Amino acid sequence: MQEELRLPYYATGDILRAAVREETDLGKTAKEYMDRGDLVPDGVIVGAIGERIDSIEAADGFILDGFPRTVPQAEALAAKLSELGRELTGVLLIDAPDDEVLRRLGGRRTCVENGHVFHVEFNPPQREGVCDVDGSELVVRDDDRPDVIRHRLEQYHAKTEPLVEFYDHRSLLRRVDGAAAPEQVADELRRTLATLKLETGEAV
Ligand SMILES: [Zn+2]
């Protein structure tokens, strides 16, 4: 999706997981929180994202995925952007009931070598437990375990959901129906991002 839009794409999950793999200081701190299904503290995330936004490759716009997740993060992001003389074009909310989230995340299987992602129901590998691309083992990532997903949902409702009002109030929120079929959700996201990009070239 990010290739079609030609915008750099910053997914906090990927940035953090790479840091965990490389056992950097950021990674070691983040891992303790992620393994419990807790949110990584704002200061840690905001620092990592701030560096990327303030780079030449992000000069014409960028997409953030998985950030901000809390009102303080959103405020820190707004402060960083205003420091750079920029602002958000739009915020996408993929709206889905908890049961649907459990079904989708709980069925996810990730390849241990290269992080290729499959789904037992929506995108099963040809051989159970084996990555189609490189033949590595497929596992349930620690944060895709049902007990951890339930904990993440609690965290979501407590800490992330207030952002819906935060951004709706600023007329930035666009809702996408997350209970639709995965391809439909992807199409809808692509359409919404393309429209936002036409408007000014930045999106979250
Ligand atoms: Zn793989």
Side-chain angles (χ1 to χ4, degrees):
M1 199 175 297
Q2 61 271 28
E3 292 86 1
E4 295 163 37
L5 290 161
R6 295 168 197 270
L7 288 176
Y9 176 85
Y10 305 127
T12 17
D14 293 346
I15 292 169
L16 291 174
R17 273 190 294 278
V20 169
R21 252 197 328 272
E22 290 153 18
E23 298 182 340
T24 64
D25 288 344
L26 168 67
K28 283 177 200 156
T29 313
K31 187 172 177 6
E32 291 173 29
Y33 294 91
M34 290 160 86
D35 284 351
R36 291 198 300 264
D38 281 332
L39 295 172
V40 177
D42 292 343
V44 179
I45 313 257
V46 171
I49 292 290
E51 268 175 25
R52 284 169 174 82
I53 291 177
D54 189 10
S55 68
I56 293 169
E57 66 165 13
D60 293 331
F62 52 86
I63 298 172
L64 298 177
D65 181 356
F67 178 88
R69 282 199 201 272
T70 65
V71 171
Q73 285 180 5
E75 285 164 347
L77 175 64
K80 181 74 192 171
L81 288 169
S82 125
E83 194 187 305
L84 299 170
R86 313 177 71 169
E87 54 185 19
L88 292 180
T89 306
V91 175
L92 295 176
L93 169 68
I94 305 175
D95 211 359
D98 288 3
D99 287 353
E100 195 59 33
V101 174
L102 267 166
R103 181 171 160 226
R104 295 194 184 203
L105 296 184
R108 210 147 68 163
R109 299 293 180 268
T110 307
C111 137
V112 285
E113 280 303 319
N114 295 300
H116 299 119
V117 180
F118 297 84
H119 192 284
V120 290
E121 198 178 334
F122 301 114
N123 177 29
Q126 286 178 345
R127 275 179 57 206
E128 201 185 315
V130 181
C131 176
D132 288 353
V133 186
D134 52 33
S136 320
E137 188 193 355
L138 296 178
V139 297
V140 177
R141 236 170 51 186
D142 279 344
D143 54 356
D144 287 338
R145 295 198 327 258
D147 55 321
V148 178
I149 297 170
R150 272 187 209 100
H151 185 63
R152 285 166 74 189
L153 282 167
E154 281 165 25
Q155 298 269 315
Y156 173 81
H157 292 302
K159 296 184 181 170
T160 306
E161 209 161 43
L163 285 177
V164 173
E165 204 189 314
F166 181 91
Y167 283 123
D168 204 15
H169 185 68
R170 287 160 178 75
S171 303
L172 289 170
L173 196 75
R174 308 280 190 283
R175 285 171 197 271
V176 172
D177 178 16
E183 319 78 69
Q184 262 172 277
V185 177
D187 278 349
E188 185 67 30
L189 283 172
R190 221 172 270 130
R191 260 199 305 276
T192 312
L193 284 170
T195 311
L196 288 170
K197 192 180 182 220
L198 278 179
E199 284 168 19
T200 59
E202 288 186 26
V204 77

